[in-house]
Amino acid sequence: MNITTMTTTNIKYQPAGQFEDTRFEKIHNIVFSNSNIGSVCVAKEIANLIIEKQNNNQLCILGLATGSSPIKIYEELVRMHKEEGLSFENVVTFNLDEYYPMDKKSVHSYYYFMHQHLFNHIDINPNNINIPCGTIPLDELHQYCIDYDLKIKEYGGLDFQLLGIGRTGHIGFNEPGSHYNSGTRSITLDHVTREDAAPSFLGIDNVPKKAITMGIGTVKKAKRILLLAWGHNKASIVKETIEGEITSEVPATYLQEHPNTTFILNDEASQELTRVKTPWLVGPCIWTEELASKAIVWLCQLTKKSILKLTDKDYNDHGMSSLLVQEGSAYDINIQMFNKFQHTITGWPGGKPNADDSSRPERANPVKKRVIIFSPHPDDDVISMGGTFDRLVEQGHEVHVAYQTSGNIAVSDHEALKYAEVIKDINSNNSNIDSIIEKINSKKGDLEDDLEVRKLKGLIRKRESLAATRFIGIPDKNVHFLNLPFYETGTVKKKPLSDIDINIVSNLIHTIKPHQIYAAGDLADPHGTHKVCLDAIFEALENLKNNDYMDDCWVWLYRGAWHEWDIHQIDMAVPMSPDQVLRKRKAIFYHQSQKDGVMFQGNDAREFWVRAEERNNETATKYNNLGLADYAALEAFKRYYF
Ligand code: F6R
C-alpha cells in the first residue's frame, strides 16, 4: 500500500504486526498528502456506515468530536447531504465533550460548533442529537454523566467514534491521568489544552477551566474509531501515541488496545514517526538526494561528527549501508553532501552580480531584481526574514512588502485605548473617538470588536509596519496593505479563502512582475492564517503561471515565527553578522503592539524577537556542527516550484 497516496474509502483495520511497514507502530494509521483528501475519505467511511445501517433498517450511532480537525469532514458530509441526498434520519449522535460551565448560545460552546458546522445543514432529528450540557447544575452533574453513558448503552453502544487528539495526548477531554476505564464525567482541563484554546477565546483567562467529557471507557467501547491529526503541532504526540508504551500520561495510547482504530494523518502530523523520520532504520529505502541529506544530518547529530568526519562504519552502524552501496564510499558521499550544504549559503539572496552562479542558490541576472515579500501578518517579514530583507535592500533590489492581513485582532484593548486617548487628547471634540473609547471600555471579555475598534487596531499595525520598513529603507509606495477580506471577521475563526482574496494577490504580482517572491511557509497550523495566506499565493501563481514574466519568477518560502525548516530542506541560507542580528531585532521592535505579552503567543512563551534570534542562531549552530562556517545566525529558505 502506498501510504501517502491512498485515497480508498474502504479503510480497513488489520491486526497489529500485519499492517505496518514498521515494528515500531502499535496503531494502524494512514498518511494523506493533505488534510482535505483525508477528510473526504473519512466522510465517505461515515456515509457508507450510515447507508449500510439504513439498508438494514438500523439506527447509526455516531460519536462526534469538535475542534479544528473534523471541520472539513462535516463540510463534506453536508455536501453529500445536499448534493448526493445522503440522509441522516437514522443517525443518533453523541458528542464527546462540552466546556463547563458553558451556555449553549455562546459561540464557544460545542453545541454552537456542532450546529454551525453540521446539524443546521442536515436532516437529522433534533431529538437524536446528544451533546453534554454545559449548564447542568453542579449537584446534578454526577448523575447527568452516568445517564449520558447509560443512554449510549441503551442504543447498543457507539458504532463509530470520531476523535481528535490534543497536544497533551487527550482524547475527548480525557487529560493525562485519566483512567482507562473512566466513564463520562467532569474534568479539569490541562494548562496546555487551555493554552491551545486561548486564541479562539481571545486570551487564556477566558477559557473555561473545566469540561464534561465522555470517558476513555466509553470511547473504547465504540466498534470503530477514527482519530484525526493534522499538522506539525501534532507530530510528536502522534509518535508518542502510536509508538510509545500505554500510559495514563498519554491517554490516547489506550487506543493501542482497541481492535478497530485507525489514525488518519497528514504528511506534517506523521513527520515524527520512525518510519517517516528515519526510514533507513525501518527497512529498505530509495535513496533520493533529499533522503540522503536528511539521513546525513541525522547521522552527524547522532554521532556528533561533522560531515567530512563520517566513516563507512558510521553509515553501516546506523542503517545506512545501502546508501554506501549506492554511492561508493563514505568519502564520496561526504564530499558530495558537504558541497550540497555549502552551496546553500549565500550573502547575496538576490543573486551575486557578475559571479558564476552555477552552484549558487540564486541567479546572478538580472542584477537588480524586483522582489515581493509577502507577510501574512504585519511583522512576519521582519521576524522571519528581517536579515535577508535588509540585505536585499542594501544590495539595491527593488523590494516590495505585501502585508496580507490587517492583523487587527492581535492588538490588545489597552494598546488600542492608548492610541485612542492620544487622539482624544489632541482633539477633544472628536465624537468619533469618544465612541471608540466608549466601545473599548465597555467591551466584555471575549466578545468580538466593533468595526471601528478593529479599524483602529488595524491602523496601529499599519503604522508600526511602516516604521519598520522605513527603518530597513524602502519607500512607503513599496509597502502594500492588502487587508485580505477572509481575515476580517473580528474573531480567530476566519472566512474561507475566496476569489476576491486570490485576485488581490494576483493583481499585485501582475503589477510588479517580480523576479523573486518570498512567502511564509509556516504550516504548523493547517487552518491558521499563515496557511490560508500561502494558499492565496499558490492559487495566484497557478492563475498567472502562463504569463511570460512568470518564467523568471522564483519563489522562496521562509519560516521562523512558529518553527524552522529542517536543515536538509534548506535551499538557501543567508548568514547574518552579530550587527545584522541587532538590526533585525530593532526592526521587530517597531511592532510594539506585538511585544511584551502578545495576545496570540501560541505555545511558545518566548517573545517573537527572541524566538527569531534563537531559531536563526540554532540554524547557524547546526550548519557549523555539520562542519560548515561558524555564523552568528542564518535565515533559511526553501524554494517552491510551481
Ligand atoms: C473535541 C475534543 C478534543 C479535540 C482535540 C483536538 O471535541 O474532544 O479532544 O479533538 O483537542 O483539537 P483540534 O482538532 O482543534 O486540534
mmCIF file with all atom_site columns, all heavy atoms in Angstrom, residues 64-70 95-97 110 163-167 170-174 193 213 228 234, ligand 1:
data_model
loop_
_atom_site.group_PDB
_atom_site.id
_atom_site.type_symbol
_atom_site.label_atom_id
_atom_site.label_alt_id
_atom_site.label_comp_id
_atom_site.label_asym_id
_atom_site.label_entity_id
_atom_site.label_seq_id
_atom_site.pdbx_PDB_ins_code
_atom_site.Cartn_x
_atom_site.Cartn_y
_atom_site.Cartn_z
_atom_site.occupancy
_atom_site.B_iso_or_equiv
_atom_site.pdbx_formal_charge
_atom_site.auth_seq_id
_atom_site.auth_comp_id
_atom_site.auth_asym_id
_atom_site.auth_atom_id
_atom_site.pdbx_PDB_model_num
ATOM   1   N N   . LEU A 1 64  ? -19.219 11.970 18.051 1.00 0.00 ? 64  LEU A N   1
ATOM   2   C CA  . LEU A 1 64  ? -18.628 13.057 17.261 1.00 0.00 ? 64  LEU A CA  1
ATOM   3   C C   . LEU A 1 64  ? -17.715 13.957 18.090 1.00 0.00 ? 64  LEU A C   1
ATOM   4   O O   . LEU A 1 64  ? -17.878 14.094 19.306 1.00 0.00 ? 64  LEU A O   1
ATOM   5   C CB  . LEU A 1 64  ? -19.734 13.894 16.623 1.00 0.00 ? 64  LEU A CB  1
ATOM   6   C CG  . LEU A 1 64  ? -20.630 13.136 15.627 1.00 0.00 ? 64  LEU A CG  1
ATOM   7   C CD1 . LEU A 1 64  ? -21.704 14.053 15.059 1.00 0.00 ? 64  LEU A CD1 1
ATOM   8   C CD2 . LEU A 1 64  ? -19.818 12.492 14.507 1.00 0.00 ? 64  LEU A CD2 1
ATOM   9   N N   . ALA A 1 65  ? -16.774 14.579 17.378 1.00 0.00 ? 65  ALA A N   1
ATOM   10  C CA  . ALA A 1 65  ? -15.800 15.460 18.028 1.00 0.00 ? 65  ALA A CA  1
ATOM   11  C C   . ALA A 1 65  ? -15.938 16.872 17.494 1.00 0.00 ? 65  ALA A C   1
ATOM   12  O O   . ALA A 1 65  ? -16.519 17.087 16.425 1.00 0.00 ? 65  ALA A O   1
ATOM   13  C CB  . ALA A 1 65  ? -14.396 14.941 17.735 1.00 0.00 ? 65  ALA A CB  1
ATOM   14  N N   . THR A 1 66  ? -15.374 17.813 18.219 1.00 0.00 ? 66  THR A N   1
ATOM   15  C CA  . THR A 1 66  ? -15.316 19.200 17.742 1.00 0.00 ? 66  THR A CA  1
ATOM   16  C C   . THR A 1 66  ? -13.848 19.573 17.548 1.00 0.00 ? 66  THR A C   1
ATOM   17  O O   . THR A 1 66  ? -13.007 18.697 17.455 1.00 0.00 ? 66  THR A O   1
ATOM   18  C CB  . THR A 1 66  ? -15.982 20.138 18.759 1.00 0.00 ? 66  THR A CB  1
ATOM   19  O OG1 . THR A 1 66  ? -15.358 19.905 20.012 1.00 0.00 ? 66  THR A OG1 1
ATOM   20  C CG2 . THR A 1 66  ? -17.466 19.884 18.874 1.00 0.00 ? 66  THR A CG2 1
ATOM   21  N N   . GLY A 1 67  ? -13.560 20.873 17.506 1.00 0.00 ? 67  GLY A N   1
ATOM   22  C CA  . GLY A 1 67  ? -12.170 21.306 17.306 1.00 0.00 ? 67  GLY A CA  1
ATOM   23  C C   . GLY A 1 67  ? -11.905 21.559 15.835 1.00 0.00 ? 67  GLY A C   1
ATOM   24  O O   . GLY A 1 67  ? -12.795 21.429 14.991 1.00 0.00 ? 67  GLY A O   1
ATOM   25  N N   . SER A 1 68  ? -10.655 21.916 15.526 1.00 0.00 ? 68  SER A N   1
ATOM   26  C CA  . SER A 1 68  ? -10.341 22.271 14.132 1.00 0.00 ? 68  SER A CA  1
ATOM   27  C C   . SER A 1 68  ? -10.261 21.039 13.238 1.00 0.00 ? 68  SER A C   1
ATOM   28  O O   . SER A 1 68  ? -10.559 21.116 12.044 1.00 0.00 ? 68  SER A O   1
ATOM   29  C CB  . SER A 1 68  ? -9.026  23.046 14.072 1.00 0.00 ? 68  SER A CB  1
ATOM   30  O OG  . SER A 1 68  ? -7.984  22.244 14.583 1.00 0.00 ? 68  SER A OG  1
ATOM   31  N N   . SER A 1 69  ? -9.904  19.884 13.804 1.00 0.00 ? 69  SER A N   1
ATOM   32  C CA  . SER A 1 69  ? -9.626  18.714 12.948 1.00 0.00 ? 69  SER A CA  1
ATOM   33  C C   . SER A 1 69  ? -10.823 18.207 12.138 1.00 0.00 ? 69  SER A C   1
ATOM   34  O O   . SER A 1 69  ? -10.648 17.867 10.971 1.00 0.00 ? 69  SER A O   1
ATOM   35  C CB  . SER A 1 69  ? -9.037  17.582 13.778 1.00 0.00 ? 69  SER A CB  1
ATOM   36  O OG  . SER A 1 69  ? -7.962  18.050 14.532 1.00 0.00 ? 69  SER A OG  1
ATOM   37  N N   . PRO A 1 70  ? -12.033 18.096 12.718 1.00 0.00 ? 70  PRO A N   1
ATOM   38  C CA  . PRO A 1 70  ? -13.104 17.488 11.920 1.00 0.00 ? 70  PRO A CA  1
ATOM   39  C C   . PRO A 1 70  ? -13.887 18.452 11.027 1.00 0.00 ? 70  PRO A C   1
ATOM   40  O O   . PRO A 1 70  ? -14.819 18.023 10.346 1.00 0.00 ? 70  PRO A O   1
ATOM   41  C CB  . PRO A 1 70  ? -14.029 16.900 12.999 1.00 0.00 ? 70  PRO A CB  1
ATOM   42  C CG  . PRO A 1 70  ? -13.790 17.697 14.221 1.00 0.00 ? 70  PRO A CG  1
ATOM   43  C CD  . PRO A 1 70  ? -12.445 18.317 14.113 1.00 0.00 ? 70  PRO A CD  1
ATOM   44  N N   . ASN A 1 95  ? -21.983 13.675 21.283 1.00 0.00 ? 95  ASN A N   1
ATOM   45  C CA  . ASN A 1 95  ? -20.722 14.399 21.225 1.00 0.00 ? 95  ASN A CA  1
ATOM   46  C C   . ASN A 1 95  ? -19.836 14.043 22.406 1.00 0.00 ? 95  ASN A C   1
ATOM   47  O O   . ASN A 1 95  ? -20.316 13.667 23.475 1.00 0.00 ? 95  ASN A O   1
ATOM   48  C CB  . ASN A 1 95  ? -20.958 15.910 21.175 1.00 0.00 ? 95  ASN A CB  1
ATOM   49  C CG  . ASN A 1 95  ? -20.850 16.408 19.765 1.00 0.00 ? 95  ASN A CG  1
ATOM   50  O OD1 . ASN A 1 95  ? -21.806 16.310 18.995 1.00 0.00 ? 95  ASN A OD1 1
ATOM   51  N ND2 . ASN A 1 95  ? -19.670 16.883 19.405 1.00 0.00 ? 95  ASN A ND2 1
ATOM   52  N N   . LEU A 1 96  ? -18.556 14.179 22.154 1.00 0.00 ? 96  LEU A N   1
ATOM   53  C CA  . LEU A 1 96  ? -17.567 13.785 23.157 1.00 0.00 ? 96  LEU A CA  1
ATOM   54  C C   . LEU A 1 96  ? -17.579 14.658 24.392 1.00 0.00 ? 96  LEU A C   1
ATOM   55  O O   . LEU A 1 96  ? -17.379 14.185 25.506 1.00 0.00 ? 96  LEU A O   1
ATOM   56  C CB  . LEU A 1 96  ? -16.165 13.943 22.558 1.00 0.00 ? 96  LEU A CB  1
ATOM   57  C CG  . LEU A 1 96  ? -15.601 12.845 21.701 1.00 0.00 ? 96  LEU A CG  1
ATOM   58  C CD1 . LEU A 1 96  ? -14.352 13.343 20.995 1.00 0.00 ? 96  LEU A CD1 1
ATOM   59  C CD2 . LEU A 1 96  ? -15.266 11.645 22.580 1.00 0.00 ? 96  LEU A CD2 1
ATOM   60  N N   . ASP A 1 97  ? -17.763 15.966 24.185 1.00 0.00 ? 97  ASP A N   1
ATOM   61  C CA  . ASP A 1 97  ? -17.486 16.844 25.318 1.00 0.00 ? 97  ASP A CA  1
ATOM   62  C C   . ASP A 1 97  ? -18.117 18.222 25.169 1.00 0.00 ? 97  ASP A C   1
ATOM   63  O O   . ASP A 1 97  ? -18.633 18.578 24.113 1.00 0.00 ? 97  ASP A O   1
ATOM   64  C CB  . ASP A 1 97  ? -15.968 16.972 25.538 1.00 0.00 ? 97  ASP A CB  1
ATOM   65  C CG  . ASP A 1 97  ? -15.205 17.072 24.231 1.00 0.00 ? 97  ASP A CG  1
ATOM   66  O OD1 . ASP A 1 97  ? -15.827 17.421 23.217 1.00 0.00 ? 97  ASP A OD1 1
ATOM   67  O OD2 . ASP A 1 97  ? -13.998 16.794 24.222 1.00 0.00 ? 97  ASP A OD2 1
ATOM   68  N N   . TYR A 1 110 ? -19.577 23.901 22.312 1.00 0.00 ? 110 TYR A N   1
ATOM   69  C CA  . TYR A 1 110 ? -19.519 22.840 21.308 1.00 0.00 ? 110 TYR A CA  1
ATOM   70  C C   . TYR A 1 110 ? -20.912 22.600 20.723 1.00 0.00 ? 110 TYR A C   1
ATOM   71  O O   . TYR A 1 110 ? -21.042 22.102 19.615 1.00 0.00 ? 110 TYR A O   1
ATOM   72  C CB  . TYR A 1 110 ? -18.925 21.567 21.920 1.00 0.00 ? 110 TYR A CB  1
ATOM   73  C CG  . TYR A 1 110 ? -17.415 21.669 22.117 1.00 0.00 ? 110 TYR A CG  1
ATOM   74  C CD1 . TYR A 1 110 ? -16.721 20.748 22.894 1.00 0.00 ? 110 TYR A CD1 1
ATOM   75  C CD2 . TYR A 1 110 ? -16.680 22.686 21.506 1.00 0.00 ? 110 TYR A CD2 1
ATOM   76  C CE1 . TYR A 1 110 ? -15.343 20.842 23.059 1.00 0.00 ? 110 TYR A CE1 1
ATOM   77  C CE2 . TYR A 1 110 ? -15.306 22.791 21.668 1.00 0.00 ? 110 TYR A CE2 1
ATOM   78  C CZ  . TYR A 1 110 ? -14.641 21.866 22.443 1.00 0.00 ? 110 TYR A CZ  1
ATOM   79  O OH  . TYR A 1 110 ? -13.282 21.954 22.597 1.00 0.00 ? 110 TYR A OH  1
ATOM   80  N N   . LEU A 1 163 ? -12.473 11.043 16.590 1.00 0.00 ? 163 LEU A N   1
ATOM   81  C CA  . LEU A 1 163 ? -11.672 11.693 17.636 1.00 0.00 ? 163 LEU A CA  1
ATOM   82  C C   . LEU A 1 163 ? -10.673 12.661 17.021 1.00 0.00 ? 163 LEU A C   1
ATOM   83  O O   . LEU A 1 163 ? -10.220 12.469 15.892 1.00 0.00 ? 163 LEU A O   1
ATOM   84  C CB  . LEU A 1 163 ? -10.859 10.650 18.419 1.00 0.00 ? 163 LEU A CB  1
ATOM   85  C CG  . LEU A 1 163 ? -11.589 9.616  19.261 1.00 0.00 ? 163 LEU A CG  1
ATOM   86  C CD1 . LEU A 1 163 ? -10.575 8.621  19.832 1.00 0.00 ? 163 LEU A CD1 1
ATOM   87  C CD2 . LEU A 1 163 ? -12.353 10.294 20.401 1.00 0.00 ? 163 LEU A CD2 1
ATOM   88  N N   . GLY A 1 164 ? -10.291 13.666 17.814 1.00 0.00 ? 164 GLY A N   1
ATOM   89  C CA  . GLY A 1 164 ? -9.102  14.453 17.526 1.00 0.00 ? 164 GLY A CA  1
ATOM   90  C C   . GLY A 1 164 ? -8.124  14.093 18.631 1.00 0.00 ? 164 GLY A C   1
ATOM   91  O O   . GLY A 1 164 ? -8.424  13.266 19.505 1.00 0.00 ? 164 GLY A O   1
ATOM   92  N N   . ILE A 1 165 ? -6.969  14.712 18.621 1.00 0.00 ? 165 ILE A N   1
ATOM   93  C CA  . ILE A 1 165 ? -6.018  14.456 19.715 1.00 0.00 ? 165 ILE A CA  1
ATOM   94  C C   . ILE A 1 165 ? -5.427  15.788 20.157 1.00 0.00 ? 165 ILE A C   1
ATOM   95  O O   . ILE A 1 165 ? -5.078  16.633 19.322 1.00 0.00 ? 165 ILE A O   1
ATOM   96  C CB  . ILE A 1 165 ? -4.922  13.453 19.281 1.00 0.00 ? 165 ILE A CB  1
ATOM   97  C CG1 . ILE A 1 165 ? -3.973  13.134 20.439 1.00 0.00 ? 165 ILE A CG1 1
ATOM   98  C CG2 . ILE A 1 165 ? -4.124  13.943 18.066 1.00 0.00 ? 165 ILE A CG2 1
ATOM   99  C CD1 . ILE A 1 165 ? -3.075  11.922 20.204 1.00 0.00 ? 165 ILE A CD1 1
ATOM   100 N N   . GLY A 1 166 ? -5.367  15.999 21.453 1.00 0.00 ? 166 GLY A N   1
ATOM   101 C CA  . GLY A 1 166 ? -4.785  17.235 21.961 1.00 0.00 ? 166 GLY A CA  1
ATOM   102 C C   . GLY A 1 166 ? -3.278  17.058 22.121 1.00 0.00 ? 166 GLY A C   1
ATOM   103 O O   . GLY A 1 166 ? -2.774  15.931 22.115 1.00 0.00 ? 166 GLY A O   1
ATOM   104 N N   . ARG A 1 167 ? -2.574  18.164 22.270 1.00 0.00 ? 167 ARG A N   1
ATOM   105 C CA  . ARG A 1 167 ? -1.115  18.051 22.436 1.00 0.00 ? 167 ARG A CA  1
ATOM   106 C C   . ARG A 1 167 ? -0.745  17.354 23.736 1.00 0.00 ? 167 ARG A C   1
ATOM   107 O O   . ARG A 1 167 ? 0.374   16.900 23.920 1.00 0.00 ? 167 ARG A O   1
ATOM   108 C CB  . ARG A 1 167 ? -0.455  19.429 22.350 1.00 0.00 ? 167 ARG A CB  1
ATOM   109 C CG  . ARG A 1 167 ? -0.359  19.930 20.916 1.00 0.00 ? 167 ARG A CG  1
ATOM   110 C CD  . ARG A 1 167 ? 0.529   21.123 20.817 1.00 0.00 ? 167 ARG A CD  1
ATOM   111 N NE  . ARG A 1 167 ? 0.087   22.183 21.719 1.00 0.00 ? 167 ARG A NE  1
ATOM   112 C CZ  . ARG A 1 167 ? 0.857   22.755 22.630 1.00 0.00 ? 167 ARG A CZ  1
ATOM   113 N NH1 . ARG A 1 167 ? 2.110   22.384 22.787 1.00 0.00 ? 167 ARG A NH1 1
ATOM   114 N NH2 . ARG A 1 167 ? 0.366   23.719 23.406 1.00 0.00 ? 167 ARG A NH2 1
ATOM   115 N N   . HIS A 1 170 ? -4.701  14.052 24.973 1.00 0.00 ? 170 HIS A N   1
ATOM   116 C CA  . HIS A 1 170 ? -6.089  13.808 25.365 1.00 0.00 ? 170 HIS A CA  1
ATOM   117 C C   . HIS A 1 170 ? -6.932  13.362 24.174 1.00 0.00 ? 170 HIS A C   1
ATOM   118 O O   . HIS A 1 170 ? -6.671  13.744 23.038 1.00 0.00 ? 170 HIS A O   1
ATOM   119 C CB  . HIS A 1 170 ? -6.715  15.015 26.078 1.00 0.00 ? 170 HIS A CB  1
ATOM   120 C CG  . HIS A 1 170 ? -7.027  16.210 25.220 1.00 0.00 ? 170 HIS A CG  1
ATOM   121 N ND1 . HIS A 1 170 ? -6.964  17.497 25.696 1.00 0.00 ? 170 HIS A ND1 1
ATOM   122 C CD2 . HIS A 1 170 ? -7.420  16.347 23.924 1.00 0.00 ? 170 HIS A CD2 1
ATOM   123 C CE1 . HIS A 1 170 ? -7.320  18.341 24.748 1.00 0.00 ? 170 HIS A CE1 1
ATOM   124 N NE2 . HIS A 1 170 ? -7.584  17.672 23.663 1.00 0.00 ? 170 HIS A NE2 1
ATOM   125 N N   . ILE A 1 171 ? -7.912  12.523 24.474 1.00 0.00 ? 171 ILE A N   1
ATOM   126 C CA  . ILE A 1 171 ? -8.983  12.236 23.509 1.00 0.00 ? 171 ILE A CA  1
ATOM   127 C C   . ILE A 1 171 ? -10.266 12.607 24.239 1.00 0.00 ? 171 ILE A C   1
ATOM   128 O O   . ILE A 1 171 ? -10.395 12.332 25.432 1.00 0.00 ? 171 ILE A O   1
ATOM   129 C CB  . ILE A 1 171 ? -8.974  10.767 23.009 1.00 0.00 ? 171 ILE A CB  1
ATOM   130 C CG1 . ILE A 1 171 ? -8.837  9.781  24.171 1.00 0.00 ? 171 ILE A CG1 1
ATOM   131 C CG2 . ILE A 1 171 ? -7.883  10.553 21.990 1.00 0.00 ? 171 ILE A CG2 1
ATOM   132 C CD1 . ILE A 1 171 ? -8.902  8.320  23.757 1.00 0.00 ? 171 ILE A CD1 1
ATOM   133 N N   . GLY A 1 172 ? -11.219 13.210 23.512 1.00 0.00 ? 172 GLY A N   1
ATOM   134 C CA  . GLY A 1 172 ? -12.263 13.907 24.248 1.00 0.00 ? 172 GLY A CA  1
ATOM   135 C C   . GLY A 1 172 ? -11.500 14.911 25.107 1.00 0.00 ? 172 GLY A C   1
ATOM   136 O O   . GLY A 1 172 ? -10.473 15.456 24.687 1.00 0.00 ? 172 GLY A O   1
ATOM   137 N N   . PHE A 1 173 ? -11.950 15.131 26.324 1.00 0.00 ? 173 PHE A N   1
ATOM   138 C CA  . PHE A 1 173 ? -11.129 15.940 27.229 1.00 0.00 ? 173 PHE A CA  1
ATOM   139 C C   . PHE A 1 173 ? -10.538 15.056 28.322 1.00 0.00 ? 173 PHE A C   1
ATOM   140 O O   . PHE A 1 173 ? -10.379 15.474 29.465 1.00 0.00 ? 173 PHE A O   1
ATOM   141 C CB  . PHE A 1 173 ? -11.923 17.107 27.806 1.00 0.00 ? 173 PHE A CB  1
ATOM   142 C CG  . PHE A 1 173 ? -11.934 18.313 26.895 1.00 0.00 ? 173 PHE A CG  1
ATOM   143 C CD1 . PHE A 1 173 ? -13.080 19.066 26.723 1.00 0.00 ? 173 PHE A CD1 1
ATOM   144 C CD2 . PHE A 1 173 ? -10.788 18.714 26.229 1.00 0.00 ? 173 PHE A CD2 1
ATOM   145 C CE1 . PHE A 1 173 ? -13.097 20.182 25.899 1.00 0.00 ? 173 PHE A CE1 1
ATOM   146 C CE2 . PHE A 1 173 ? -10.783 19.822 25.397 1.00 0.00 ? 173 PHE A CE2 1
ATOM   147 C CZ  . PHE A 1 173 ? -11.943 20.557 25.231 1.00 0.00 ? 173 PHE A CZ  1
ATOM   148 N N   . ASN A 1 174 ? -10.233 13.815 27.971 1.00 0.00 ? 174 ASN A N   1
ATOM   149 C CA  . ASN A 1 174 ? -9.578  12.919 28.924 1.00 0.00 ? 174 ASN A CA  1
ATOM   150 C C   . ASN A 1 174 ? -8.106  13.301 29.008 1.00 0.00 ? 174 ASN A C   1
ATOM   151 O O   . ASN A 1 174 ? -7.280  12.861 28.202 1.00 0.00 ? 174 ASN A O   1
ATOM   152 C CB  . ASN A 1 174 ? -9.737  11.466 28.480 1.00 0.00 ? 174 ASN A CB  1
ATOM   153 C CG  . ASN A 1 174 ? -11.173 11.015 28.612 1.00 0.00 ? 174 ASN A CG  1
ATOM   154 O OD1 . ASN A 1 174 ? -11.639 10.736 29.713 1.00 0.00 ? 174 ASN A OD1 1
ATOM   155 N ND2 . ASN A 1 174 ? -11.898 10.995 27.495 1.00 0.00 ? 174 ASN A ND2 1
ATOM   156 N N   . THR A 1 193 ? -3.961  22.422 27.167 1.00 0.00 ? 193 THR A N   1
ATOM   157 C CA  . THR A 1 193 ? -5.227  22.430 26.417 1.00 0.00 ? 193 THR A CA  1
ATOM   158 C C   . THR A 1 193 ? -5.844  23.829 26.446 1.00 0.00 ? 193 THR A C   1
ATOM   159 O O   . THR A 1 193 ? -6.353  24.327 25.440 1.00 0.00 ? 193 THR A O   1
ATOM   160 C CB  . THR A 1 193 ? -6.196  21.414 27.053 1.00 0.00 ? 193 THR A CB  1
ATOM   161 O OG1 . THR A 1 193 ? -5.586  20.135 26.992 1.00 0.00 ? 193 THR A OG1 1
ATOM   162 C CG2 . THR A 1 193 ? -7.537  21.378 26.355 1.00 0.00 ? 193 THR A CG2 1
ATOM   163 N N   . THR A 1 213 ? -16.610 15.390 29.819 1.00 0.00 ? 213 THR A N   1
ATOM   164 C CA  . THR A 1 213 ? -16.102 14.569 28.718 1.00 0.00 ? 213 THR A CA  1
ATOM   165 C C   . THR A 1 213 ? -16.580 13.128 28.822 1.00 0.00 ? 213 THR A C   1
ATOM   166 O O   . THR A 1 213 ? -16.724 12.584 29.917 1.00 0.00 ? 213 THR A O   1
ATOM   167 C CB  . THR A 1 213 ? -14.551 14.585 28.668 1.00 0.00 ? 213 THR A CB  1
ATOM   168 O OG1 . THR A 1 213 ? -14.137 13.817 27.547 1.00 0.00 ? 213 THR A OG1 1
ATOM   169 C CG2 . THR A 1 213 ? -13.904 14.004 29.916 1.00 0.00 ? 213 THR A CG2 1
ATOM   170 N N   . LEU A 1 228 ? -8.215  11.774 14.110 1.00 0.00 ? 228 LEU A N   1
ATOM   171 C CA  . LEU A 1 228 ? -7.641  12.689 13.126 1.00 0.00 ? 228 LEU A CA  1
ATOM   172 C C   . LEU A 1 228 ? -6.504  13.485 13.742 1.00 0.00 ? 228 LEU A C   1
ATOM   173 O O   . LEU A 1 228 ? -6.626  13.965 14.869 1.00 0.00 ? 228 LEU A O   1
ATOM   174 C CB  . LEU A 1 228 ? -8.689  13.711 12.675 1.00 0.00 ? 228 LEU A CB  1
ATOM   175 C CG  . LEU A 1 228 ? -10.084 13.194 12.348 1.00 0.00 ? 228 LEU A CG  1
ATOM   176 C CD1 . LEU A 1 228 ? -11.056 14.369 12.256 1.00 0.00 ? 228 LEU A CD1 1
ATOM   177 C CD2 . LEU A 1 228 ? -10.024 12.432 11.038 1.00 0.00 ? 228 LEU A CD2 1
ATOM   178 N N   . LYS A 1 234 ? 0.984   18.390 15.865 1.00 0.00 ? 234 LYS A N   1
ATOM   179 C CA  . LYS A 1 234 ? 0.539   17.112 16.423 1.00 0.00 ? 234 LYS A CA  1
ATOM   180 C C   . LYS A 1 234 ? 1.594   16.012 16.237 1.00 0.00 ? 234 LYS A C   1
ATOM   181 O O   . LYS A 1 234 ? 1.405   14.897 16.726 1.00 0.00 ? 234 LYS A O   1
ATOM   182 C CB  . LYS A 1 234 ? -0.779  16.687 15.741 1.00 0.00 ? 234 LYS A CB  1
ATOM   183 C CG  . LYS A 1 234 ? -1.928  17.678 15.909 1.00 0.00 ? 234 LYS A CG  1
ATOM   184 C CD  . LYS A 1 234 ? -2.503  17.647 17.308 1.00 0.00 ? 234 LYS A CD  1
ATOM   185 C CE  . LYS A 1 234 ? -3.482  18.760 17.586 1.00 0.00 ? 234 LYS A CE  1
ATOM   186 N NZ  . LYS A 1 234 ? -4.796  18.594 17.023 1.00 0.00 ? 234 LYS A NZ  1
HETATM 187 C C1  . F6R B 2 .   ? -13.101 17.973 20.844 1.00 0.00 ? 1   F6R B C1  1
HETATM 188 C C2  . F6R B 2 .   ? -12.229 17.110 21.630 1.00 0.00 ? 1   F6R B C2  1
HETATM 189 C C3  . F6R B 2 .   ? -10.778 17.302 21.691 1.00 0.00 ? 1   F6R B C3  1
HETATM 190 C C4  . F6R B 2 .   ? -10.163 17.701 20.351 1.00 0.00 ? 1   F6R B C4  1
HETATM 191 C C5  . F6R B 2 .   ? -8.654  17.883 20.487 1.00 0.00 ? 1   F6R B C5  1
HETATM 192 C C6  . F6R B 2 .   ? -8.026  18.333 19.188 1.00 0.00 ? 1   F6R B C6  1
HETATM 193 O O1  . F6R B 2 .   ? -14.443 17.528 20.903 1.00 0.00 ? 1   F6R B O1  1
HETATM 194 O O2  . F6R B 2 .   ? -12.730 16.247 22.259 1.00 0.00 ? 1   F6R B O2  1
HETATM 195 O O3  . F6R B 2 .   ? -10.186 16.106 22.118 1.00 0.00 ? 1   F6R B O3  1
HETATM 196 O O4  . F6R B 2 .   ? -10.442 16.706 19.416 1.00 0.00 ? 1   F6R B O4  1
HETATM 197 O O5  . F6R B 2 .   ? -8.394  18.829 21.475 1.00 0.00 ? 1   F6R B O5  1
HETATM 198 O O6  . F6R B 2 .   ? -8.484  19.588 18.854 1.00 0.00 ? 1   F6R B O6  1
HETATM 199 P P1  . F6R B 2 .   ? -8.141  20.231 17.426 1.00 0.00 ? 1   F6R B P1  1
HETATM 200 O O7  . F6R B 2 .   ? -8.837  19.384 16.421 1.00 0.00 ? 1   F6R B O7  1
HETATM 201 O O8  . F6R B 2 .   ? -8.735  21.595 17.490 1.00 0.00 ? 1   F6R B O8  1
HETATM 202 O O9  . F6R B 2 .   ? -6.672  20.203 17.280 1.00 0.00 ? 1   F6R B O9  1
#
